Amino acid sequence: MFATDHISVFRGGKAILDRVSIQLAPGELSVILGPNGAGKSTLLQALTRTLTPDQGEVFLDGTPLRELPIEELARRRAVLAQESFLQFDFSVEEVVLLGRIPHLSGWESDRDRDICSQALRSVEMDAFRHRRYPSLSGGEKQRVHLARVLAQLEDQREAADPAPWLLLDEPTSALDLRHQHSVLGQARKLAKVRGFGVCAVLHDINLALHYADHVVLMDQGRVAAQGTASETLTAERISEVYQVQAQVLCASNCPFVQIQSHHEKHALNV
Amino acid sequence: MKFHVVPCLWVLFIGIPCQAAERLVTLGGPVTEIIFALGAGDEVVAVDQSSLYPETATQLPQVGYVGALGAEGVLSLNPTLILASTRIGPPAVVKQLSQSGIPLRVVENPNSAESLRETIEALGSYLNRTEAAQSLWQRIDEDLHKTREAIDGRETPGVVFLLGNNGIPMAAGTDTQANGIVHLAGGRNLFSGYSSYKPVSEEALIQAQPDVILIASHGTGLERDPQTALRDLGLTQLARNATRIHLIDMGEYLSFGPRTGEAAYKLAQILHDAKASSSE
Amino acid sequence: MNISQSLPRSMKAAAAREANPDPRARRRPAFLILLAVILPTAGFLALMTGPMDLSFAKVAGILSNRIGIGSASEFSMAEEVVVWNLRLTRVLLALLVGAGLAMAGACMQGVFRNPLADPGIIGVSSGGAMGAIFMIVLGSRLMPEAAFEGFRLYAVPVAAMLGAVAITWLIYRLSISRGQVDLVSMLLVGIAINSLGGAFIGLLTFMATDEELRTMTFWGLGSLGRANWELLLPGLAFILVPLFFLPRYARSLNALLLGEKDAAHLGIDVRRTKRHLIVLSASIVGATVALCGAIGFIALVAPHIVRTAIGPDHRFLLPASGMLGAGLLLTADIGARTIVAPAELPIGILTALIGTPVFLFLLLQRRRFQSIS
């Protein structure tokens, strides 16, 4: 269970997060949504411990996040950043093996290599294993990093151990349509089949409607709504938060949001 | 260079006592000049890069600059005696050389008549050539005496000695060879407030009101004429001024040694003839 | 019919893995063995060559006599000094300084996440030189001459290390933006620091005596000619000891290449690791500058060759760079001692001749790579 208890973050006298309390359960794909500047990334950074909130507390399975040793934290949660700055000439496999660092004391074992192969297969990058990382396209790089964080989460766990968490910061931004769906499908499978906790920041409401079990809708540093996707993403709320005219439609049993812009609305009214 | 070593080693091996004369390495222009003037030139096996006189010295192997030597380079010439001026360096190499068991004698880098005499005597005694040393000094001393007589009673000209360092003019202070030779030639160094060479501004040069400006020339032929040399140092106002400017060959005038007596006489003529012509 | 078709899938996959592993990973053992062979060979060659013509029997005789095995061959005192005090100490110093520079360079390039981070180019060496010069000027003004020699042997390296660490920290702070090191800022800061270093040396030139002036090329181009047994002691203390700690950070350095945030997510204490690595690598560079002046480009070239051959994994990169750097410096020093024998070339001239093309090549490659992505 990942939870925040009234966390606030201030920058330059302004509250970027304002007493945010959320609860994310393992076994579900949770999605943080919101317009630009709503505080999505800041909230995720609080969850990843990249920043410590000025007020309030983040808990991972009941323990305050800041009290967990950083090495242990690395074995219990992995983070996929929006962009990567890796410029060195690693092979794809070596990049994925970097994900095993929290579990190693010396050299990688065959088991670590198998985990990496599996991770690469799951993102459809196993054919690229010996390619040089800098020679890949942006989307391919993103998938390699996804394989890296998947490999990071593999561990020998007892049934009673708390579920590991995968935190994704706009994982789809560099991907084409097919791989956007493949990544989120993968993420949901991780939650549903293996019981991992997964939390992703997304931009695309329709992807969220499609995949999310739980949605946190952010607006101006506050939680505008949270709950299941269909509960949270109502036409009224989307219209209010995003300041657009939205409709939730249904096509072949699958909801999607259609947007009319301010501009069009205005033009129609005239 | 290695051909010096091989026969001598061979001789050592078969046990015939090597009755050869000294094998000298002379480091520093004045030291080399004096050794050659003492008649020991054919015992010198190597010199440093600042040893540019006499001509025969420049034909010998060079072991680097006197202040930037390599120890093995010097030792590889299998010297029996190393003679060097106080400019020898770096200190680490001096230490290495002194550990080698080969005698190393360091003499003053002379910058006055007195220190020149002492240096010549010291070198003469190291080589058992005290008589040659005495007659060498006598010859120099005669020239110095002649110089003093020639300028007797004349007004002392104020002199500035400039050295270009990467286009920056540096003026000679006390404790320099330039200061010494100007003094011997009957001139007065106007920059005597410090030792060694220091960068000077054009304003300070004008302020000093020199009668004569001497500019060091490396004898490379690059310096075309005194005016251009002055301008190359960025001293445009001085170049326009009517002050007398002369190019001075560094080897000939600044290396205190056998040539110093003649150099002092020649410089005295430069300094005082100029003075005479200006006062007319 | 086809045997491969009858193989179970997993075996086929295993066979494919064996047949097509990463060529660089496959090359690693051979490369490390090659280095381990080349290094003593270069050391042997360095002991054998020099302006003085000495036979193998003689060199071996002098060494074994010194070690205490006794020897049959005859040699003069000067020959003994050449082999034992000059060549051997010089070989050891070259090994120490070459390995130190190369490993510190590899480490800095990891911390700065940029293969162009050469301590000479970005100004770390200048920082070391400034620290050393400051201590020399201060020491020679404040201390009696006799005490100064011993003091100088240890206080100057320490001052150089402090200078190098301070400057590295400054470079790091100034060239980092949004958690990333900006190449242009890094190089510009390097230019600024290097001209400050030049000014500092100029100031010393102004204050120095005529004799001191002549040894000034030392700071700019470096020399191993000061080597002696006394100098090896601070060398061991200030270079070998930190070198011993560097490989422990290999995994952290690998993680740091991903960026500081990602490294933190992998459980690396980034602030502490960075602080340790900067102090260790800059100290090594500072100590080498104090002992032999600023010898350029070894720190750039050795890690670059190793990365090209066996990849950027620091667990291999650090030891392999150390061996290669030691070998390169040793070879360059053989050249410095013999090319203009019996005089000597400043070794920095030779390393710059090898290093500058490599640096330009890296810069060019980088530009090409950036225009693609």
Side-chain angles (χ1 to χ4, degrees):
Chain A
M1 182 70 82
F2 234 126
T4 69
D5 181 20
H6 292 89
I7 58 167
S8 299
V9 172
F10 303 102
R11 287 288 178 276
K14 190 172 162 268
I16 296 177
L17 287 186
D18 189 5
R19 286 158 291 161
V20 171
S21 298
I22 59 169
Q23 290 198 341
L24 311 176
E28 289 184 350
L29 171 57
S30 306
V31 168
I32 301 173
L33 272 178
N36 287 337
K40 308 187 290 287
S41 294
T42 313
L43 178 56
L44 192 78
Q45 281 176 12
L47 296 180
T48 62
R49 213 171 90 172
T50 305
L51 61 78
T52 310
D54 299 311
Q55 289 170 8
E57 191 84 68
V58 182
F59 295 95
L60 176 56
D61 301 311
T63 315
L65 198 61
R66 59 191 164 80
E67 285 174 14
L68 283 171
I70 188 169
E71 300 87 356
E72 191 194 328
L73 191 58
R75 287 190 292 269
R76 286 176 60 179
R77 68 96 180 86
V79 183
L80 181 65
Q82 204 177 126
E83 46 180 348
S84 164
F85 300 98
L86 180 60
Q87 291 170 334
F88 280 75
D89 197 18
F90 280 116
S91 72
V92 165
E93 186 182 35
E94 284 172 324
V95 175
V96 180
L97 278 169
L98 292 178
R100 298 301 298 164
I101 286 179
H103 307 279
L104 301 177
S105 53
W107 300 89
E108 300 92 6
S109 64
D110 283 344
R111 181 172 168 268
D112 293 311
R113 284 178 194 286
D114 287 342
I115 288 170
C116 289
S117 306
Q118 199 130 28
L120 275 170
R121 253 199 305 284
S122 69
V123 297
E124 300 172 47
M125 286 294 288
D126 43 343
F128 290 69
R129 185 156 83 211
H130 298 302
R131 282 274 295 277
R132 303 290 173 79
Y133 173 82
S135 72
L136 305 181
S137 73
E140 288 163 346
K141 285 177 180 169
Q142 182 72 350
R143 281 150 63 201
V144 170
H145 287 295
L146 180 61
R148 172 170 64 76
V149 294
L150 291 178
Q152 186 184 342
L153 289 177
E154 289 303 325
D155 205 352
Q156 279 155 331
R157 288 192 182 80
E158 308 290 320
D161 285 345
W165 277 84
L166 177 61
L167 305 173
L168 307 157
D169 191 2
E170 301 196 19
T172 54
S173 54
L175 301 178
D176 60 29
L177 207 55
R178 186 167 90 87
H179 288 110
Q180 286 184 7
H181 285 274
S182 141
V183 164
L184 288 175
Q186 187 83 39
R188 190 157 69 172
K189 210 171 91 188
L190 214 58
K192 293 284 165 217
V193 178
R194 305 196 53 196
F196 285 20
V198 183
C199 173
V201 168
L202 287 183
H203 240 106
D204 188 326
I205 303 175
N206 280 319
L207 280 174
L209 267 175
H210 200 113
Y211 287 101
D213 299 304
H214 183 86
V215 169
V216 176
L217 183 63
M218 299 288 296
D219 186 24
Q220 295 173 35
R222 299 207 182 91
V223 178
Q226 58 179 323
T228 64
S230 50
E231 275 170 23
T232 316
L233 298 173
T234 60
E236 299 80 53
R237 225 176 247 128
I238 293 170
S239 305
E240 197 188 316
V241 169
Y242 285 86
Q243 304 198 338
V244 290
Q245 197 64 39
Q247 279 182 294
V248 179
L249 304 173
C250 217
S252 55
N253 221 3
C254 172
F256 70 96
V257 177
Q258 196 185 44
I259 306 290
Q260 269 185 317
S261 75
H262 256 311
H263 184 71
E264 280 174 76
K265 194 176 79 181
H266 194 66
L268 284 173
N269 284 353
V270 171
Chain B
M1 277 123 246
K2 285 169 184 164
F3 59 85
H4 293 287
V5 183
V6 176
C8 206
L9 287 181
W10 184 73
V11 164
L12 273 178
F13 275 128
I14 58 173
I16 296 172
C18 196
Q19 272 293 351
E22 295 269 23
R23 293 177 57 82
L24 303 175
V25 173
T26 58
L27 307 170
V31 176
T32 304
E33 276 193 46
I34 293 168
I35 295 300
F36 273 79
L38 292 177
D42 40 356
E43 292 175 25
V44 177
V45 292
V47 296
D48 83 306
Q49 282 168 12
S50 72
S51 302
L52 299 170
Y53 187 89
E55 180 68 25
T56 42
T58 61
Q59 315 287 315
L60 294 167
Q62 293 188 338
V63 292
Y65 193 81
V66 59
L69 299 166
E72 191 180 339
V74 175
L75 295 180
S76 72
L77 294 147
N78 209 23
T80 54
L81 178 60
I82 303 165
L83 298 166
S85 86
T86 42
R87 288 193 166 182
I88 187 172
V93 171
V94 178
K95 204 168 173 185
Q96 290 163 348
L97 287 176
S98 55
Q99 286 169 344
S100 71
I102 292 164
L104 166 68
R105 299 270 181 267
V106 179
V107 294
E108 194 74 17
N109 193 29
N111 57 20
S112 67
E114 185 60 19
S115 59
L116 177 58
R117 184 178 59 79
E118 284 166 10
T119 304
I120 290 173
E121 281 171 2
L123 287 171
S125 73
Y126 293 146
L127 296 180
N128 292 323
R129 288 175 189 264
T130 43
E131 278 170 34
Q134 258 167 26
S135 65
L136 173 61
W137 169 248
Q138 266 164 23
R139 189 166 59 74
I140 298 166
D141 199 30
E142 273 165 32
D143 283 332
L144 292 177
H145 192 70
K146 202 170 69 180
T147 310
R148 278 195 295 276
E149 279 183 344
I151 58 173
D152 192 35
R154 300 244 208 151
E155 205 176 315
T156 309
V159 181
V160 171
F161 186 94
L162 293 180
L163 183 78
N165 178 15
N166 296 323
I168 295 164
M170 312 256 289
T174 55
D175 295 341
T176 60
Q177 278 69 30
N179 183 74
I181 196 79
V182 166
H183 179 71
L184 289 178
R188 186 165 56 90
N189 183 9
L190 296 174
F191 283 77
S192 52
Y194 54 84
S195 65
S196 181
Y197 287 83
K198 292 267 186 282
V200 284
S201 67
E202 183 155 33
E203 193 176 324
L205 288 171
I206 293 170
Q207 157 96 12
Q209 292 183 312
D211 298 304
V212 187
I213 294 177
L214 302 176
I215 302 174
S217 136
H218 298 273
T220 50
L222 283 174
E223 299 93 345
R224 288 177 297 278
D225 63 89
Q227 296 289 339
T228 319
L230 207 55
R231 227 172 273 124
D232 285 349
L233 292 175
L235 304 172
T236 50
Q237 299 308 312
L238 274 179
R240 221 185 285 165
N241 212 311
T243 312
R244 283 144 309 283
I245 306 151
H246 290 273
L247 282 177
I248 291 295
D249 183 79
M250 288 188 78
E252 187 180 348
Y253 289 90
L254 297 197
S255 179
F256 266 59
R259 294 183 285 170
T260 296
E262 297 149 41
Y265 190 76
K266 265 170 81 178
L267 188 61
Q269 283 181 322
I270 291 171
L271 297 182
H272 293 87
D273 283 352
K275 184 82 183 168
S277 65
S278 78
S279 56
E280 277 167 12
Chain C
M1 317 299 126
N2 194 332
I3 297 171
S4 73
Q5 273 177 348
S6 62
L7 283 170
R9 269 184 76 94
S10 61
M11 274 184 74
K12 224 162 58 176
R17 198 179 347 170
E18 285 311 306
N20 183 27
D22 186 353
R24 289 184 314 195
R26 204 175 41 192
R27 236 179 271 150
R28 271 176 202 147
F31 188 77
L32 287 171
I33 290 169
L34 184 72
L35 285 177
V37 171
I38 286 178
L39 198 53
T41 314
F44 173 75
L45 270 178
L47 275 177
M48 289 305 301
T49 43
M52 190 180 266
D53 210 2
L54 293 171
S55 68
F56 170 70
K58 212 161 228 187
V59 173
I62 292 167
L63 290 179
S64 56
N65 185 50
R66 270 299 188 144
I67 296 165
I69 308 170
S71 115
S73 59
E74 302 250 330
F75 44 84
S76 70
M77 191 170 165
E79 285 165 341
E80 187 179 0
V81 164
V82 164
V83 172
W84 185 255
N85 290 21
L86 301 186
R87 287 192 192 167
L88 186 59
T89 55
R90 207 163 163 153
V91 165
L92 294 176
L93 191 67
L95 292 175
L96 209 56
V97 169
L101 282 174
M103 286 174 76
C107 174
M108 272 185 192
Q109 287 145 23
V111 173
F112 281 85
R113 273 155 272 146
N114 196 311
L116 290 166
D118 174 77
I121 291 167
I122 64 174
V124 180
S125 306
S126 288
M130 283 189 268
I133 288 170
F134 179 75
M135 189 53 89
I136 288 171
V137 171
L138 194 75
S140 63
R141 298 290 179 275
L142 296 182
M143 295 207 108
E145 185 112 7
F148 185 55
E149 261 315 300
F151 160 83
R152 185 178 171 143
L153 210 54
Y154 290 90
V156 172
V158 169
M161 287 157 77
L162 290 176
V165 171
I167 290 294
T168 311
W169 195 252
L170 185 74
I171 300 163
Y172 189 82
R173 291 309 296 265
L174 289 179
S175 59
I176 201 158
S177 71
R178 293 198 311 122
Q180 286 307 305
V181 178
D182 176 49
L183 172 66
V184 176
S185 308
M186 184 182 82
L187 295 179
L188 286 177
V189 173
I191 291 172
I193 301 289
N194 280 330
S195 34
L196 183 65
F200 223 80
I201 293 174
L203 180 70
L204 184 66
T205 318
F206 184 77
M207 298 170 72
T209 61
D210 207 29
E211 280 82 54
E212 282 171 346
L213 248 164
R214 269 153 240 285
T215 56
M216 219 58 82
T217 51
F218 174 77
W219 296 108
L221 293 167
S223 164
L224 293 169
R226 288 176 65 204
N228 61 42
W229 290 109
E230 232 180 2
L231 198 68
L232 279 170
L233 225 64
L236 288 172
F238 300 135
I239 300 177
L240 198 63
V241 172
L243 269 191
F244 179 74
F245 288 100
L246 272 191
R248 299 177 175 209
Y249 292 88
R251 279 191 318 141
S252 306
L253 275 165
N254 285 345
L256 269 178
L257 294 187
L258 288 168
E260 293 185 6
K261 278 185 193 164
D262 279 348
H265 295 152
L266 282 169
I268 307 295
D269 186 343
V270 173
R271 283 182 56 146
R272 204 188 61 184
T273 307
K274 225 162 54 182
R275 202 163 54 219
H276 289 185
L277 286 172
I278 285 180
V279 168
L280 284 174
S281 58
S283 308
I284 293 171
V285 173
T288 66
V289 170
L291 297 180
C292 351
I295 298 175
F297 294 106
I298 293 288
L300 180 86
V301 173
H304 172 65
I305 294 175
V306 174
R307 271 191 218 103
T308 311
I310 61 170
D313 186 338
H314 284 87
R315 290 172 300 181
F316 300 102
L317 178 64
L318 286 174
S321 294
M323 284 196 277
L324 184 63
L328 278 176
L329 193 62
L330 207 50
T331 315
D333 191 48
I334 294 177
R337 289 187 295 136
T338 50
I339 290 173
V340 294
E344 259 175 40
L345 276 178
I347 194 164
I349 292 177
L350 290 169
T351 56
L353 279 178
I354 312 167
T356 312
V358 175
F359 178 77
L360 293 176
F361 169 77
L362 272 171
L363 204 61
L364 208 68
Q365 197 187 31
R366 192 168 189 81
R367 217 170 50 182
R368 207 171 48 209
F369 162 64
Q370 277 175 345
S371 65
I372 292 171
S373 62

